[in-house]
Amino acid sequence: MKTSGPVTAQDPAARARDTRRAARGVVLTSESVAEGHPDKVCDYIADSILDAYLELDRRSRVACEVLCKSGIVVLAGEISSIATLDHVPLIREAVRELGYDDPETAFNADGLHVLQHITGQSWEIGRSVDPATNPVGEQGAGDQGIVFGYATAETPERMPLPILLAHALSRGLAEDRRSGACSWLRPDGKTQVSVAYEGGKPARVTEVLVSTQHAHGVDVAAVRHYVQAVLAPRALGRWFDASVRFTVNPSGSFVKGGPAADCGVTGRKIIVDTYGGAARHGGGSFSGKDPSKVDRSGAYFCRYVARKAVEAAVAERIEIQVAYAIGVAEPVAILVDTFGTGEAGAAVDFVRGFDFRPAAIIERLDLLRPIYRRTTNYGHFGRPGLPWEE
């Protein structure tokens, strides 16, 4: 079924401004965070709990929020399921997998104190979402809101280059820590990459910033050598050269990290999770939400459609905005922008061929599976093995 909602293209004057800006040249910067970053710890716990429920009951309704600080984890939200789970062991295992297993630190898997504030999903929301009770007999959107999807031809992954490289650096930190190749690395960290664009295309990497947690007694010079001589050449690949300017652990020592040092909360890294600032975001968190919530499933499907449009040569860059009303299946509106890289009418026609109703999205991408722990770290887009990237 094709979408029957209104589909429009962005104003031509706005596209012309974007085209002129791209021609002048810009520097786009994107950041990533390591899997031990406090906010990502919370996202991973939330997605671990979601997966555990979906594994036992595909109809589970989960909206799970997490806060971490010192030795405390606060779990709150709404969960309705025929499955009954003990959340505490799930939380401890998730924290252990992320590398926080040292009993000498304030935040460690076995020493956590867990506070829980979980209720069932509101019956009013459930009634409007479930097809058996929805007034029109089909699954409605789990909330109102807008979602965005984006794709670009600038990389084989159809993703902006800066966020891909920032994720590669963060992933490299975890790989070297887990393998023991760099035994002094610890789980927390952040990366940032700046890319200069010329004529709308990436030309060179200008700046790299890496802040990584480390063990006691490690000199900043050793951290800098590792980043510049080991990590960056591998992570940046052909984009690494001698002209790249590096900033490494600019605050100096970074021994105390993770939730022992800073408070973490789910949903605070939504730009890291998506396109690194190259495209807009509707504002809704992904992690901890089952696919009835369109701010997750809708954003995934918008990415799917945008990627398909680029692969079909409809445009070199495309952004799709979809608006939903709670309890209503059909989108309220759809906006398509090709930034002057494709014919607007053809792009609208292409997007119109996809069904953006929640049930159709869930079926097409097979989203009622415990796949969400795989999405938590290093971006929800541009990575193989995820159904919206297949």
Side-chain angles (χ1 to χ4, degrees), residues 99-169:
Y100 290 110
D101 54 3
D102 183 355
E104 299 300 316
T105 61
F107 188 82
N108 70 87
D110 293 324
L112 296 174
H113 180 53
V114 179
L115 305 176
Q116 301 191 58
H117 304 277
I118 299 291
T119 64
Q121 183 185 55
S122 162
W123 67 268
E124 294 167 305
I125 294 175
R127 179 185 60 184
S128 69
V129 172
D130 290 341
T133 52
N134 184 284
V136 297
E138 62 177 328
Q139 181 169 340
D143 202 350
Q144 75 168 56
I146 57 174
V147 295
F148 288 89
Y150 178 80
T152 172
E154 69 186 66
T155 64
E157 296 86 353
R158 311 305 187 203
M159 287 287 288
L161 181 64
I163 190 67
L164 284 185
L165 296 180
H167 284 323
L169 288 165

Side-chain angles (χ1 to χ4, degrees), residues 52 83 132 154 237 260 280 355:
E154 69 186 66
R280 289 173 287 186
D355 190 346

Side-chain angles (χ1 to χ4, degrees), residues 184 219-230 246-249:
W184 48 261
D219 186 75
V220 67
V223 180
R224 172 179 287 275
H225 173 78
Y226 159 73
V227 169
Q228 292 188 225
V230 179
F246 283 87
T247 303
V248 180
N249 281 22

Side-chain angles (χ1 to χ4, degrees), residues 135-223:
V136 297
E138 62 177 328
Q139 181 169 340
D143 202 350
Q144 75 168 56
I146 57 174
V147 295
F148 288 89
Y150 178 80
T152 172
E154 69 186 66
T155 64
E157 296 86 353
R158 311 305 187 203
M159 287 287 288
L161 181 64
I163 190 67
L164 284 185
L165 296 180
H167 284 323
L169 288 165
S170 293
R171 190 183 301 110
L173 290 172
E175 290 170 350
D176 288 346
R177 172 176 58 86
R178 291 179 180 278
S179 71
C182 196
S183 60
W184 48 261
L185 283 171
R186 296 296 182 263
D188 197 0
K190 284 187 172 183
T191 66
Q192 190 168 282
V193 176
S194 300
V195 175
Y197 284 72
E198 296 176 359
K201 300 183 184 301
R204 62 192 177 279
V205 173
T206 60
E207 305 272 351
V208 168
L209 168 60
V210 175
S211 293
T212 181
Q213 186 187 12
H214 56 80
H216 284 281
V218 177
D219 186 75
V220 67
V223 180

Side-chain angles (χ1 to χ4, degrees), residues 226-249:
Y226 159 73
V227 169
Q228 292 188 225
V230 179
L231 175 65
R234 185 179 81 233
L236 301 184
R238 70 183 185 88
W239 295 99
F240 176 83
D241 64 53
S243 69
V244 178
R245 293 184 293 271
F246 283 87
T247 303
V248 180
N249 281 22

